[in-house]
Amino acid sequence: MAEVFSWKPQRSYSVDRTPNVAVVKLGDGYEQRQVKGINPLMVKYSLVFRGVGGPCRANSAKEAEAFLRARMAVESFYWTPSDTGVQALFVCRSWGMVKNGPLYELTATFEQVPR
């Protein structure tokens, strides 16, 4: 059973939606388009998580990175995007961490995967 990613990203993030469509080119510039598969619209979210390091406080950016590192882009996880409010299955294939003094900033791309 996939685990739930519970950390909240910054309110500003980007969403990419690219429908999976087969295109057949016909003569005179015409084309025929058809949806491919049973999950034709998978979404990608580019997210930022921030946290402040210190011995007496939890750091959400470091905790979220530990969660992603434990899955190593192999295991999927459930996450609920704030724009839809619907829990879906995602995988994170890449992420990066920037440390500036006590501030940690994690950038990650969550890609929706079929259930």
Short mmCIF file of all heavy atoms in Angstrom, two decimals, residues 4-39:
data_model
loop_
_atom_site.label_atom_id
_atom_site.label_comp_id
_atom_site.label_asym_id
_atom_site.label_seq_id
_atom_site.Cartn_x
_atom_site.Cartn_y
_atom_site.Cartn_z
N VAL A 4 1.10 8.08 2.32
CA VAL A 4 0.55 9.40 2.02
C VAL A 4 1.61 10.46 2.28
O VAL A 4 2.22 10.50 3.35
CB VAL A 4 -0.70 9.68 2.88
CG1 VAL A 4 -1.21 11.08 2.65
CG2 VAL A 4 -1.79 8.66 2.57
N PHE A 5 1.84 11.33 1.29
CA PHE A 5 2.73 12.48 1.44
C PHE A 5 1.91 13.58 2.09
O PHE A 5 0.94 14.06 1.51
CB PHE A 5 3.24 12.91 0.06
CG PHE A 5 4.27 14.01 0.12
CD1 PHE A 5 5.61 13.71 0.21
CD2 PHE A 5 3.87 15.34 0.09
CE1 PHE A 5 6.56 14.72 0.28
CE2 PHE A 5 4.81 16.35 0.14
CZ PHE A 5 6.15 16.04 0.24
N SER A 6 2.28 14.00 3.30
CA SER A 6 1.42 14.91 4.07
C SER A 6 1.96 16.33 4.21
O SER A 6 1.30 17.17 4.80
CB SER A 6 1.19 14.32 5.46
OG SER A 6 2.43 14.12 6.12
N TRP A 7 3.15 16.63 3.68
CA TRP A 7 3.71 17.97 3.83
C TRP A 7 3.06 18.93 2.84
O TRP A 7 2.73 18.56 1.71
CB TRP A 7 5.23 17.93 3.62
CG TRP A 7 5.88 17.13 4.70
CD1 TRP A 7 6.34 17.59 5.90
CD2 TRP A 7 6.11 15.72 4.71
NE1 TRP A 7 6.85 16.55 6.64
CE2 TRP A 7 6.72 15.39 5.94
CE3 TRP A 7 5.85 14.70 3.80
CZ2 TRP A 7 7.08 14.10 6.27
CZ3 TRP A 7 6.21 13.41 4.13
CH2 TRP A 7 6.82 13.12 5.36
N LYS A 8 2.89 20.18 3.26
CA LYS A 8 2.22 21.18 2.44
C LYS A 8 3.26 22.01 1.68
O LYS A 8 4.16 22.59 2.28
CB LYS A 8 1.38 22.13 3.30
CG LYS A 8 0.33 21.42 4.12
CD LYS A 8 -0.78 20.91 3.27
CE LYS A 8 -1.85 20.29 4.15
NZ LYS A 8 -2.60 19.26 3.49
N PRO A 9 3.13 22.13 0.34
CA PRO A 9 4.05 22.98 -0.42
C PRO A 9 3.68 24.45 -0.25
O PRO A 9 2.64 24.78 0.32
CB PRO A 9 3.82 22.53 -1.86
CG PRO A 9 2.40 22.08 -1.88
CD PRO A 9 2.15 21.47 -0.52
N GLN A 10 4.53 25.31 -0.78
CA GLN A 10 4.21 26.74 -0.83
C GLN A 10 2.94 26.92 -1.66
O GLN A 10 2.62 26.10 -2.52
CB GLN A 10 5.37 27.52 -1.45
CG GLN A 10 6.64 27.47 -0.64
CD GLN A 10 6.47 28.14 0.71
OE1 GLN A 10 6.16 29.33 0.79
NE2 GLN A 10 6.66 27.39 1.79
N ARG A 11 2.22 27.98 -1.41
CA ARG A 11 0.93 28.18 -2.10
C ARG A 11 1.08 28.41 -3.59
O ARG A 11 0.17 28.15 -4.36
CB ARG A 11 0.19 29.35 -1.47
CG ARG A 11 -0.23 29.07 -0.07
CD ARG A 11 -0.98 30.22 0.52
NE ARG A 11 -1.21 29.97 1.94
CZ ARG A 11 -2.05 30.65 2.66
NH1 ARG A 11 -2.72 31.63 2.11
NH2 ARG A 11 -2.19 30.37 3.93
N SER A 12 2.22 28.91 -4.00
CA SER A 12 2.47 29.16 -5.42
C SER A 12 3.19 27.97 -6.03
O SER A 12 4.29 27.62 -5.59
CB SER A 12 3.31 30.43 -5.57
OG SER A 12 3.68 30.62 -6.90
N TYR A 13 2.58 27.32 -7.02
CA TYR A 13 3.22 26.22 -7.73
C TYR A 13 2.68 26.15 -9.14
O TYR A 13 1.69 26.79 -9.47
CB TYR A 13 3.04 24.89 -7.00
CG TYR A 13 1.62 24.46 -6.73
CD1 TYR A 13 0.86 23.83 -7.69
CD2 TYR A 13 1.04 24.67 -5.48
CE1 TYR A 13 -0.44 23.43 -7.44
CE2 TYR A 13 -0.26 24.27 -5.21
CZ TYR A 13 -0.99 23.64 -6.21
OH TYR A 13 -2.26 23.24 -5.94
N SER A 14 3.36 25.39 -9.99
CA SER A 14 2.89 25.28 -11.38
C SER A 14 2.39 23.87 -11.66
O SER A 14 2.84 22.90 -11.05
CB SER A 14 4.00 25.66 -12.37
OG SER A 14 5.05 24.73 -12.31
N VAL A 15 1.43 23.80 -12.58
CA VAL A 15 0.81 22.54 -12.97
C VAL A 15 0.92 22.39 -14.48
O VAL A 15 0.58 23.33 -15.21
CB VAL A 15 -0.69 22.51 -12.56
CG1 VAL A 15 -1.32 21.18 -12.91
CG2 VAL A 15 -0.86 22.83 -11.10
N ASP A 16 1.40 21.23 -14.93
CA ASP A 16 1.45 20.93 -16.37
C ASP A 16 0.48 19.81 -16.67
O ASP A 16 0.53 18.76 -16.02
CB ASP A 16 2.86 20.50 -16.79
CG ASP A 16 3.86 21.63 -16.72
OD1 ASP A 16 3.47 22.79 -17.01
OD2 ASP A 16 5.02 21.37 -16.37
N ARG A 17 -0.38 20.05 -17.64
CA ARG A 17 -1.32 19.03 -18.10
C ARG A 17 -1.11 18.84 -19.60
O ARG A 17 -1.30 19.77 -20.38
CB ARG A 17 -2.75 19.47 -17.81
CG ARG A 17 -3.08 19.52 -16.34
CD ARG A 17 -4.52 19.97 -16.11
NE ARG A 17 -4.88 19.89 -14.71
CZ ARG A 17 -4.75 20.89 -13.85
NH1 ARG A 17 -4.27 22.05 -14.24
NH2 ARG A 17 -5.10 20.74 -12.59
N THR A 18 -0.72 17.64 -19.99
CA THR A 18 -0.49 17.32 -21.39
C THR A 18 -1.30 16.08 -21.74
O THR A 18 -0.93 14.97 -21.33
CB THR A 18 1.01 17.07 -21.67
OG1 THR A 18 1.75 18.19 -21.21
CG2 THR A 18 1.26 16.86 -23.15
N PRO A 19 -2.39 16.23 -22.48
CA PRO A 19 -3.18 15.06 -22.85
C PRO A 19 -2.37 14.10 -23.72
O PRO A 19 -1.56 14.53 -24.55
CB PRO A 19 -4.35 15.65 -23.64
CG PRO A 19 -4.40 17.08 -23.24
CD PRO A 19 -2.99 17.48 -22.93
N ASN A 20 -2.58 12.81 -23.52
CA ASN A 20 -1.93 11.78 -24.32
C ASN A 20 -2.82 11.49 -25.53
O ASN A 20 -3.87 10.85 -25.40
CB ASN A 20 -1.72 10.52 -23.48
CG ASN A 20 -0.84 9.51 -24.16
OD1 ASN A 20 -0.30 9.75 -25.23
ND2 ASN A 20 -0.68 8.36 -23.53
N VAL A 21 -2.42 12.01 -26.68
CA VAL A 21 -3.25 11.96 -27.88
C VAL A 21 -2.45 11.37 -29.04
O VAL A 21 -1.29 11.72 -29.25
CB VAL A 21 -3.73 13.38 -28.26
CG1 VAL A 21 -4.55 13.37 -29.54
CG2 VAL A 21 -4.54 13.98 -27.12
N ALA A 22 -3.08 10.48 -29.79
CA ALA A 22 -2.48 9.94 -31.02
C ALA A 22 -2.96 10.82 -32.18
O ALA A 22 -4.14 11.14 -32.28
CB ALA A 22 -2.91 8.50 -31.24
N VAL A 23 -2.02 11.21 -33.04
CA VAL A 23 -2.35 12.07 -34.18
C VAL A 23 -1.94 11.36 -35.46
O VAL A 23 -0.81 10.88 -35.59
CB VAL A 23 -1.61 13.42 -34.08
CG1 VAL A 23 -1.95 14.30 -35.27
CG2 VAL A 23 -1.97 14.13 -32.78
N VAL A 24 -2.88 11.27 -36.39
CA VAL A 24 -2.62 10.70 -37.70
C VAL A 24 -2.74 11.83 -38.72
O VAL A 24 -3.78 12.48 -38.83
CB VAL A 24 -3.62 9.57 -38.04
CG1 VAL A 24 -3.40 9.04 -39.44
CG2 VAL A 24 -3.54 8.46 -37.01
N LYS A 25 -1.65 12.09 -39.45
CA LYS A 25 -1.64 13.14 -40.48
C LYS A 25 -2.24 12.58 -41.76
O LYS A 25 -1.82 11.53 -42.25
CB LYS A 25 -0.21 13.61 -40.74
CG LYS A 25 0.48 14.18 -39.52
CD LYS A 25 0.06 15.59 -39.25
CE LYS A 25 0.87 16.16 -38.09
NZ LYS A 25 0.52 17.51 -37.80
N LEU A 26 -3.19 13.31 -42.31
CA LEU A 26 -3.84 12.91 -43.56
C LEU A 26 -3.45 13.92 -44.64
O LEU A 26 -2.74 14.88 -44.38
CB LEU A 26 -5.36 12.89 -43.36
CG LEU A 26 -5.85 12.00 -42.20
CD1 LEU A 26 -7.31 12.24 -41.92
CD2 LEU A 26 -5.58 10.54 -42.49
N GLY A 27 -3.90 13.71 -45.82
CA GLY A 27 -3.57 14.60 -46.92
C GLY A 27 -4.17 15.99 -46.77
O GLY A 27 -5.11 16.21 -46.01
N ASP A 28 -3.61 16.95 -47.48
CA ASP A 28 -4.09 18.33 -47.53
C ASP A 28 -4.12 19.01 -46.16
O ASP A 28 -4.95 19.89 -45.91
CB ASP A 28 -5.48 18.42 -48.17
CG ASP A 28 -5.47 18.03 -49.64
OD1 ASP A 28 -4.41 18.20 -50.28
OD2 ASP A 28 -6.49 17.54 -50.13
N GLY A 29 -3.24 18.60 -45.24
CA GLY A 29 -3.14 19.26 -43.95
C GLY A 29 -4.14 18.80 -42.91
O GLY A 29 -4.15 19.32 -41.79
N TYR A 30 -4.99 17.86 -43.24
CA TYR A 30 -5.95 17.35 -42.26
C TYR A 30 -5.24 16.39 -41.31
O TYR A 30 -4.25 15.77 -41.67
CB TYR A 30 -7.11 16.63 -42.96
CG TYR A 30 -8.02 17.54 -43.73
CD1 TYR A 30 -7.86 17.72 -45.09
CD2 TYR A 30 -9.04 18.23 -43.08
CE1 TYR A 30 -8.69 18.56 -45.81
CE2 TYR A 30 -9.88 19.08 -43.80
CZ TYR A 30 -9.70 19.23 -45.16
OH TYR A 30 -10.52 20.07 -45.87
N GLU A 31 -5.80 16.28 -40.12
CA GLU A 31 -5.28 15.31 -39.17
C GLU A 31 -6.43 14.75 -38.34
O GLU A 31 -7.44 15.41 -38.14
CB GLU A 31 -4.20 15.89 -38.28
CG GLU A 31 -4.66 16.98 -37.35
CD GLU A 31 -3.51 17.56 -36.51
OE1 GLU A 31 -2.35 17.53 -36.95
OE2 GLU A 31 -3.80 18.05 -35.42
N GLN A 32 -6.23 13.53 -37.85
CA GLN A 32 -7.21 12.88 -36.99
C GLN A 32 -6.56 12.70 -35.62
O GLN A 32 -5.42 12.25 -35.52
CB GLN A 32 -7.62 11.53 -37.56
CG GLN A 32 -8.68 10.82 -36.75
CD GLN A 32 -9.08 9.48 -37.38
OE1 GLN A 32 -8.45 9.02 -38.33
NE2 GLN A 32 -10.12 8.88 -36.85
N ARG A 33 -7.28 13.06 -34.56
CA ARG A 33 -6.77 12.96 -33.21
C ARG A 33 -7.65 12.03 -32.39
O ARG A 33 -8.87 12.04 -32.52
CB ARG A 33 -6.72 14.35 -32.55
CG ARG A 33 -5.70 15.27 -33.22
CD ARG A 33 -5.87 16.71 -32.80
NE ARG A 33 -7.18 17.29 -33.08
CZ ARG A 33 -7.58 17.72 -34.28
NH1 ARG A 33 -6.79 17.63 -35.32
NH2 ARG A 33 -8.78 18.23 -34.45
N GLN A 34 -6.99 11.22 -31.54
CA GLN A 34 -7.71 10.29 -30.69
C GLN A 34 -6.98 10.15 -29.36
O GLN A 34 -5.75 10.08 -29.32
CB GLN A 34 -7.80 8.92 -31.37
CG GLN A 34 -8.57 7.90 -30.59
CD GLN A 34 -8.71 6.58 -31.35
OE1 GLN A 34 -8.42 6.50 -32.52
NE2 GLN A 34 -9.14 5.56 -30.66
N VAL A 35 -7.75 10.12 -28.28
CA VAL A 35 -7.18 9.95 -26.94
C VAL A 35 -6.57 8.56 -26.84
O VAL A 35 -7.15 7.58 -27.29
CB VAL A 35 -8.28 10.14 -25.87
CG1 VAL A 35 -7.76 9.83 -24.49
CG2 VAL A 35 -8.83 11.55 -25.91
N LYS A 36 -5.36 8.50 -26.23
CA LYS A 36 -4.67 7.22 -26.05
C LYS A 36 -4.82 6.74 -24.61
O LYS A 36 -4.58 7.49 -23.67
CB LYS A 36 -3.18 7.37 -26.37
CG LYS A 36 -2.89 7.56 -27.83
CD LYS A 36 -1.46 7.96 -28.10
CE LYS A 36 -0.44 6.93 -27.75
NZ LYS A 36 0.93 7.37 -28.13
N GLY A 37 -5.21 5.48 -24.46
CA GLY A 37 -5.24 4.84 -23.14
C GLY A 37 -6.43 5.22 -22.29
O GLY A 37 -7.27 6.03 -22.68
N ILE A 38 -6.48 4.60 -21.09
CA ILE A 38 -7.59 4.86 -20.18
C ILE A 38 -7.27 5.99 -19.20
O ILE A 38 -8.14 6.43 -18.46
CB ILE A 38 -8.00 3.58 -19.40
CG1 ILE A 38 -6.82 3.05 -18.59
CG2 ILE A 38 -8.52 2.53 -20.35
CD1 ILE A 38 -7.19 1.92 -17.66
N ASN A 39 -6.02 6.44 -19.18
CA ASN A 39 -5.61 7.57 -18.34
C ASN A 39 -4.94 8.61 -19.24
O ASN A 39 -3.73 8.80 -19.20
CB ASN A 39 -4.62 7.11 -17.26
CG ASN A 39 -5.27 6.16 -16.28
OD1 ASN A 39 -6.24 6.51 -15.63
ND2 ASN A 39 -4.74 4.97 -16.18
#
